Short mmCIF file of all heavy atoms in Angstrom, two decimals:
data_model
loop_
_atom_site.label_atom_id
_atom_site.label_comp_id
_atom_site.label_asym_id
_atom_site.label_seq_id
_atom_site.Cartn_x
_atom_site.Cartn_y
_atom_site.Cartn_z
N LEU B 1319 48.74 -34.04 -9.80
CA LEU B 1319 48.92 -34.56 -8.44
C LEU B 1319 47.66 -35.29 -7.98
O LEU B 1319 47.72 -36.31 -7.28
CB LEU B 1319 49.25 -33.42 -7.48
CG LEU B 1319 50.58 -32.71 -7.69
CD1 LEU B 1319 50.75 -31.59 -6.67
CD2 LEU B 1319 51.75 -33.68 -7.61
N GLY B 1320 46.51 -34.78 -8.39
CA GLY B 1320 45.24 -35.37 -7.98
C GLY B 1320 44.95 -36.73 -8.58
O GLY B 1320 43.98 -37.37 -8.21
N ASP B 1321 45.78 -37.15 -9.52
CA ASP B 1321 45.61 -38.49 -10.11
C ASP B 1321 46.21 -39.57 -9.22
O ASP B 1321 46.05 -40.76 -9.49
CB ASP B 1321 46.26 -38.55 -11.49
CG ASP B 1321 45.58 -37.64 -12.50
OD1 ASP B 1321 44.37 -37.38 -12.35
OD2 ASP B 1321 46.28 -37.17 -13.43
N SER B 1322 46.90 -39.16 -8.18
CA SER B 1322 47.47 -40.13 -7.24
C SER B 1322 46.34 -40.91 -6.58
O SER B 1322 45.44 -40.32 -5.96
CB SER B 1322 48.29 -39.41 -6.17
OG SER B 1322 49.40 -38.75 -6.73
N ALA B 1323 46.38 -42.21 -6.73
CA ALA B 1323 45.28 -43.05 -6.24
C ALA B 1323 45.63 -44.51 -6.44
O ALA B 1323 46.65 -44.85 -7.05
CB ALA B 1323 43.99 -42.73 -6.99
N LEU B 1324 44.75 -45.36 -5.92
CA LEU B 1324 44.82 -46.79 -6.22
C LEU B 1324 43.90 -47.05 -7.40
O LEU B 1324 42.72 -46.71 -7.35
CB LEU B 1324 44.36 -47.60 -5.00
CG LEU B 1324 44.39 -49.12 -5.12
CD1 LEU B 1324 45.83 -49.63 -5.22
CD2 LEU B 1324 43.69 -49.78 -3.93
N TYR B 1325 44.43 -47.62 -8.47
CA TYR B 1325 43.64 -47.91 -9.66
C TYR B 1325 43.31 -49.39 -9.66
O TYR B 1325 44.20 -50.24 -9.65
CB TYR B 1325 44.38 -47.49 -10.92
CG TYR B 1325 44.40 -45.98 -11.05
CD1 TYR B 1325 45.39 -45.23 -10.40
CD2 TYR B 1325 43.42 -45.31 -11.76
CE1 TYR B 1325 45.39 -43.84 -10.48
CE2 TYR B 1325 43.42 -43.92 -11.83
CZ TYR B 1325 44.40 -43.20 -11.19
OH TYR B 1325 44.39 -41.82 -11.25
N LEU B 1326 42.04 -49.67 -9.69
CA LEU B 1326 41.55 -51.04 -9.57
C LEU B 1326 40.93 -51.50 -10.87
O LEU B 1326 40.23 -50.75 -11.55
CB LEU B 1326 40.51 -51.12 -8.45
CG LEU B 1326 41.02 -50.84 -7.04
CD1 LEU B 1326 39.88 -50.48 -6.12
CD2 LEU B 1326 41.76 -52.06 -6.51
N CYS B 1327 41.17 -52.75 -11.18
CA CYS B 1327 40.58 -53.38 -12.35
C CYS B 1327 39.65 -54.48 -11.86
O CYS B 1327 39.98 -55.21 -10.92
CB CYS B 1327 41.69 -53.95 -13.23
SG CYS B 1327 41.13 -54.96 -14.60
N ALA B 1328 38.49 -54.60 -12.49
CA ALA B 1328 37.55 -55.65 -12.14
C ALA B 1328 37.18 -56.42 -13.40
O ALA B 1328 37.03 -55.83 -14.48
CB ALA B 1328 36.29 -55.06 -11.52
N SER B 1329 37.02 -57.72 -13.27
CA SER B 1329 36.58 -58.51 -14.42
C SER B 1329 35.32 -59.28 -14.07
O SER B 1329 35.06 -59.60 -12.90
CB SER B 1329 37.68 -59.46 -14.90
OG SER B 1329 37.73 -60.66 -14.15
N SER B 1330 34.52 -59.54 -15.08
CA SER B 1330 33.30 -60.32 -14.88
C SER B 1330 32.92 -60.99 -16.19
O SER B 1330 33.43 -60.63 -17.25
CB SER B 1330 32.16 -59.43 -14.41
OG SER B 1330 31.78 -58.53 -15.42
N LEU B 1331 32.03 -61.97 -16.07
CA LEU B 1331 31.53 -62.62 -17.28
C LEU B 1331 30.71 -61.66 -18.10
O LEU B 1331 30.77 -61.63 -19.30
CB LEU B 1331 30.69 -63.85 -16.91
CG LEU B 1331 31.46 -65.06 -16.42
CD1 LEU B 1331 30.50 -66.10 -15.84
CD2 LEU B 1331 32.27 -65.66 -17.55
N ALA B 1332 29.88 -60.88 -17.39
CA ALA B 1332 29.09 -59.79 -17.98
C ALA B 1332 28.51 -60.14 -19.34
O ALA B 1332 28.97 -59.65 -20.37
CB ALA B 1332 29.93 -58.53 -18.08
N SER B 1333 27.49 -60.96 -19.33
CA SER B 1333 26.88 -61.36 -20.60
C SER B 1333 26.20 -60.20 -21.30
O SER B 1333 25.89 -60.28 -22.47
CB SER B 1333 25.84 -62.45 -20.34
OG SER B 1333 24.77 -61.89 -19.60
N GLY B 1334 25.96 -59.14 -20.55
CA GLY B 1334 25.27 -58.00 -21.13
C GLY B 1334 23.78 -58.08 -20.93
O GLY B 1334 23.06 -57.11 -21.11
N HIS B 1335 23.31 -59.26 -20.51
CA HIS B 1335 21.87 -59.41 -20.28
C HIS B 1335 21.55 -59.67 -18.83
O HIS B 1335 20.43 -59.59 -18.41
CB HIS B 1335 21.34 -60.57 -21.13
CG HIS B 1335 21.54 -60.35 -22.60
ND1 HIS B 1335 20.82 -59.43 -23.32
CD2 HIS B 1335 22.40 -60.91 -23.47
CE1 HIS B 1335 21.22 -59.44 -24.57
NE2 HIS B 1335 22.18 -60.33 -24.69
N ARG B 1336 22.54 -60.00 -18.07
CA ARG B 1336 22.32 -60.20 -16.64
C ARG B 1336 23.60 -59.83 -15.91
O ARG B 1336 24.69 -59.84 -16.49
CB ARG B 1336 21.94 -61.65 -16.35
CG ARG B 1336 23.03 -62.65 -16.69
CD ARG B 1336 22.59 -64.09 -16.42
NE ARG B 1336 23.64 -65.04 -16.76
CZ ARG B 1336 24.57 -65.44 -15.90
NH1 ARG B 1336 24.59 -64.97 -14.67
NH2 ARG B 1336 25.49 -66.30 -16.27
N ASN B 1337 23.42 -59.47 -14.67
CA ASN B 1337 24.58 -59.08 -13.87
C ASN B 1337 25.30 -60.32 -13.36
O ASN B 1337 24.68 -61.29 -12.97
CB ASN B 1337 24.14 -58.23 -12.70
CG ASN B 1337 23.52 -56.94 -13.15
OD1 ASN B 1337 22.53 -56.93 -13.86
ND2 ASN B 1337 24.12 -55.84 -12.79
N THR B 1338 26.60 -60.27 -13.37
CA THR B 1338 27.39 -61.35 -12.80
C THR B 1338 28.41 -60.73 -11.84
O THR B 1338 28.69 -59.54 -11.90
CB THR B 1338 28.13 -62.14 -13.89
OG1 THR B 1338 28.99 -61.25 -14.61
CG2 THR B 1338 27.13 -62.77 -14.86
N GLU B 1339 28.95 -61.58 -10.98
CA GLU B 1339 29.87 -61.09 -9.97
C GLU B 1339 31.08 -60.42 -10.61
O GLU B 1339 31.60 -60.89 -11.62
CB GLU B 1339 30.35 -62.23 -9.08
CG GLU B 1339 29.28 -62.84 -8.20
CD GLU B 1339 28.58 -64.01 -8.87
OE1 GLU B 1339 28.61 -64.10 -10.12
OE2 GLU B 1339 28.00 -64.83 -8.14
N ALA B 1340 31.51 -59.30 -10.02
CA ALA B 1340 32.69 -58.59 -10.47
C ALA B 1340 33.81 -58.84 -9.46
O ALA B 1340 33.63 -58.64 -8.26
CB ALA B 1340 32.41 -57.10 -10.57
N PHE B 1341 34.96 -59.30 -9.96
CA PHE B 1341 36.10 -59.62 -9.12
C PHE B 1341 37.22 -58.62 -9.39
O PHE B 1341 37.53 -58.34 -10.55
CB PHE B 1341 36.57 -61.04 -9.38
CG PHE B 1341 35.55 -62.08 -9.02
CD1 PHE B 1341 34.67 -62.54 -9.99
CD2 PHE B 1341 35.45 -62.57 -7.74
CE1 PHE B 1341 33.70 -63.49 -9.67
CE2 PHE B 1341 34.49 -63.52 -7.41
CZ PHE B 1341 33.61 -63.98 -8.37
N PHE B 1342 37.82 -58.14 -8.32
CA PHE B 1342 38.83 -57.09 -8.44
C PHE B 1342 40.25 -57.62 -8.30
O PHE B 1342 40.49 -58.62 -7.61
CB PHE B 1342 38.61 -56.03 -7.36
CG PHE B 1342 37.49 -55.08 -7.66
CD1 PHE B 1342 36.18 -55.46 -7.46
CD2 PHE B 1342 37.75 -53.81 -8.15
CE1 PHE B 1342 35.13 -54.59 -7.74
CE2 PHE B 1342 36.72 -52.93 -8.44
CZ PHE B 1342 35.41 -53.33 -8.23
N GLY B 1343 41.17 -56.92 -8.95
CA GLY B 1343 42.58 -57.18 -8.77
C GLY B 1343 43.11 -56.46 -7.54
O GLY B 1343 42.36 -55.78 -6.83
N GLN B 1344 44.43 -56.58 -7.32
CA GLN B 1344 45.05 -55.97 -6.14
C GLN B 1344 45.29 -54.48 -6.32
O GLN B 1344 45.58 -53.78 -5.36
CB GLN B 1344 46.39 -56.67 -5.84
CG GLN B 1344 46.22 -58.03 -5.21
CD GLN B 1344 45.57 -57.93 -3.85
OE1 GLN B 1344 44.36 -58.15 -3.68
NE2 GLN B 1344 46.35 -57.60 -2.85
N GLY B 1345 45.19 -54.02 -7.55
CA GLY B 1345 45.32 -52.59 -7.78
C GLY B 1345 46.74 -52.16 -8.10
O GLY B 1345 47.71 -52.88 -7.82
N THR B 1346 46.84 -50.99 -8.71
CA THR B 1346 48.12 -50.32 -8.95
C THR B 1346 48.10 -49.01 -8.17
O THR B 1346 47.21 -48.19 -8.36
CB THR B 1346 48.33 -50.02 -10.45
OG1 THR B 1346 48.46 -51.24 -11.17
CG2 THR B 1346 49.58 -49.16 -10.65
N ARG B 1347 49.08 -48.87 -7.30
CA ARG B 1347 49.18 -47.63 -6.51
C ARG B 1347 50.00 -46.63 -7.31
O ARG B 1347 51.20 -46.83 -7.50
CB ARG B 1347 49.85 -47.92 -5.17
CG ARG B 1347 50.23 -46.68 -4.36
CD ARG B 1347 49.05 -45.96 -3.79
NE ARG B 1347 48.28 -46.76 -2.87
CZ ARG B 1347 47.10 -46.39 -2.37
NH1 ARG B 1347 46.58 -45.23 -2.72
NH2 ARG B 1347 46.45 -47.18 -1.54
N LEU B 1348 49.35 -45.58 -7.79
CA LEU B 1348 50.03 -44.53 -8.57
C LEU B 1348 50.25 -43.31 -7.68
O LEU B 1348 49.31 -42.79 -7.07
CB LEU B 1348 49.19 -44.14 -9.79
CG LEU B 1348 49.70 -42.93 -10.58
CD1 LEU B 1348 51.05 -43.22 -11.22
CD2 LEU B 1348 48.68 -42.52 -11.65
N THR B 1349 51.49 -42.88 -7.63
CA THR B 1349 51.84 -41.65 -6.90
C THR B 1349 52.40 -40.66 -7.91
O THR B 1349 53.35 -40.97 -8.64
CB THR B 1349 52.87 -41.91 -5.81
OG1 THR B 1349 52.35 -42.89 -4.90
CG2 THR B 1349 53.18 -40.63 -5.04
N VAL B 1350 51.81 -39.47 -7.95
CA VAL B 1350 52.29 -38.41 -8.85
C VAL B 1350 52.96 -37.34 -8.00
O VAL B 1350 52.37 -36.83 -7.04
CB VAL B 1350 51.14 -37.80 -9.66
CG1 VAL B 1350 51.67 -36.74 -10.63
CG2 VAL B 1350 50.40 -38.89 -10.43
N VAL B 1351 54.22 -37.04 -8.33
CA VAL B 1351 54.98 -36.07 -7.54
C VAL B 1351 55.34 -34.84 -8.37
O VAL B 1351 55.24 -34.85 -9.59
CB VAL B 1351 56.24 -36.71 -6.96
CG1 VAL B 1351 55.88 -37.82 -6.01
CG2 VAL B 1351 57.16 -37.21 -8.08
#
Side-chain angles (χ1 to χ4, degrees):
Chain B
L1319 295 179
D1321 295 332
S1322 297
L1324 181 67
Y1325 288 85
L1326 295 160
C1327 172
S1329 82
S1330 67
L1331 286 169
S1333 67
H1335 300 288
R1336 64 181 179 90
N1337 296 60
T1338 60
E1339 293 91 338
F1341 297 93
F1342 282 78
Q1344 285 296 99
T1346 293
R1347 170 71 62 189
L1348 172 65
T1349 302
V1350 182
V1351 297

